[in-house]
Amino acid sequence: MTPLKKIPIECRSIGLSYDGGKTEVLKDISLRIEPGEFFALLGPSGSGKSTLLRLIAGFNRHQRGELLVDGRDISATPPHARNIGMVFQSYALWPHMTVWDNVAFGLVERRMSKAVIKQKVGAALELVGLSQYAQRRPGQLSGGQQQRVALARTIVIEPQVLLLDEPLSNLDKTLRVQMRQELLALQRQLGITTVFVTHDQEEAMTTADRMAVMEGGVVQQVGTPAALFDYPVNAFVAGFVGTTNLVQGEIAAGTGNSLSFRAPALGELALPATSADALPGKATLSFRPHTVKVARVGDACEHRYFWLDGKVEHGEFLGEFVRYHVRVGTMLFAADQLHHASMPGFTTASPIRLGIDVSQIRILAA
């Protein structure tokens, strides 16, 4: 198949409500998805991500705002006229049809010639590696193969946009990793603008060029996976994109290039005044477990860290590292230690020292 035209998608102040406006599901959604971009909508159940995806497809209708595809407002265009392909979580394959007939279905509905159908279906099946399964039925295929059929059926009609609604959630972990790599490779080959809905941060971070984190029908932050991980704008994003430690406290006016943060769990901590939002008043500090240094009591401590004394409540062995949950006063902090064979660890109730790298602390709005 030849690469498809790369087009942008733009949401302008979109609002969607149910029950005559009583239940607001999407609130002033404004974002732009670039031509040929693999864009993820990430958020927990009920955040509005699937509603927004179905709105782009035409299955939901917004009451406010504009939805532009390739610069044209398609808000009033019915789903069948949008030339948008969608892969559902359940795959939605016809169980009584062969793989070939499932993939050909959209072309038959468009009344294309038999020669064109044969050429396009053959190319789509070859693209997803299922040419040899053309005469099988969906029930004779594995979950991963069924997903490929659903993809082939969607891309064979050469849509302007590809929408993916949690297409990996029915697969086991190993197959999910394999299929997300194949999805990304296929998207890169076709160059099609793709919107991928998931609640799995790992899926979003390993595939997306950029992503939007949603909660409560609001886009909390848009950016590259690295930008959202390293520089979250609020506590929700910090906690949903990865794991983080959050400390609530108060910023006092600083001097020069530093400011003072006070919290019962930390005491007083001098931080570099690098954030324009770090104004005096209530604030939350965020720092990732992998940036925390773990040391035994009595070990030499590097001066660039801010050190806290605590006790291990429990540890989680995660293969590449051990995540310790450490009690410091009334706070429970997570700290990661890389694991090597025969490496001694910390047992429950062990005294421990945590070193916080001040350069890795992020100041968030309270």
Side-chain angles (χ1 to χ4, degrees), residues 61-303:
R61 180 72 185 271
H62 50 287
Q63 291 87 27
R64 301 180 305 281
E66 297 176 299
L67 173 64
L68 279 67
V69 174
D70 201 17
R72 182 173 65 91
D73 190 352
I74 63 168
S75 299
T77 305
H80 69 272
R82 293 191 178 194
N83 194 22
I84 289 176
M86 186 166 180
V87 177
F88 298 91
Q89 182 177 348
S90 63
Y91 311 143
L93 301 175
W94 297 105
H96 64 286
M97 290 184 178
T98 64
V99 167
W100 179 278
D101 289 336
N102 265 282
V103 176
F105 184 81
L107 302 178
V108 173
E109 290 292 300
R110 286 166 173 77
R111 300 187 178 183
M112 294 189 174
S113 69
K114 290 183 178 180
V116 170
I117 291 173
K118 182 178 180 180
Q119 184 272 324
K120 288 183 176 292
V121 173
L125 288 176
E126 183 178 357
L127 189 64
V128 298
L130 289 179
S131 297
Q132 68 272 35
Y133 297 96
Q135 297 309 312
R136 293 193 184 183
R137 286 181 168 76
Q140 298 172 303
L141 304 178
S142 68
Q145 290 167 337
Q146 290 183 46
Q147 187 200 57
R148 291 189 184 97
V149 176
L151 276 169
R153 183 186 57 186
T154 302
I155 63 177
V156 76
I157 63 172
E158 299 184 357
Q160 288 185 301
V161 173
L162 177 61
L163 306 179
L164 304 171
D165 189 7
E166 304 219 36
L168 308 180
S169 60
N170 292 331
L171 307 177
D172 62 57
K173 184 176 182 179
T174 301
L175 191 54
R176 281 204 308 271
V177 173
Q178 176 189 336
M179 290 307 301
R180 76 188 185 211
Q181 294 170 347
E182 292 184 10
L183 267 176
L184 185 58
L186 179 63
Q187 189 269 344
R188 293 291 190 253
Q189 183 175 347
L190 293 174
I192 187 171
T193 305
T194 299
V195 186
F196 177 45
V197 159
T198 181
H199 64 273
D200 188 316
Q201 56 173 308
E202 184 176 307
E203 285 181 3
M205 294 177 72
T206 54
T207 56
D209 298 307
R210 291 187 307 138
M211 58 188 187
V213 177
M214 296 186 65
E215 168 63 356
V218 176
V219 173
Q220 302 290 325
Q221 188 174 358
V222 178
T224 65
L228 268 61
F229 186 85
D230 291 338
Y231 300 99
V233 297
N234 58 37
F236 178 81
V237 175
F240 199 81
V241 181
T243 302
T244 196
N245 295 293
L246 297 173
V247 181
Q248 295 181 338
E250 188 170 346
I251 292 176
T255 57
N257 295 323
S258 67
L259 52 84
S260 175
F261 179 84
R262 296 170 184 163
L266 299 178
E268 187 166 342
L269 181 61
L271 298 174
T274 56
S275 173
D277 298 325
L279 301 174
K282 292 183 178 180
T284 300
L285 296 190
S286 168
F287 52 94
R288 303 287 184 186
H290 73 277
T291 67
V292 179
K293 194 172 183 65
V294 178
R296 298 181 184 279
V297 174
D299 287 352
C301 296
E302 299 176 53
H303 294 299

Side-chain angles (χ1 to χ4, degrees), residues 341-357:
S342 303
M343 185 180 196
F346 295 93
T347 57
T348 300
S350 295
I352 196 174
R353 302 208 78 199
L354 301 181
I356 301 173
D357 186 345

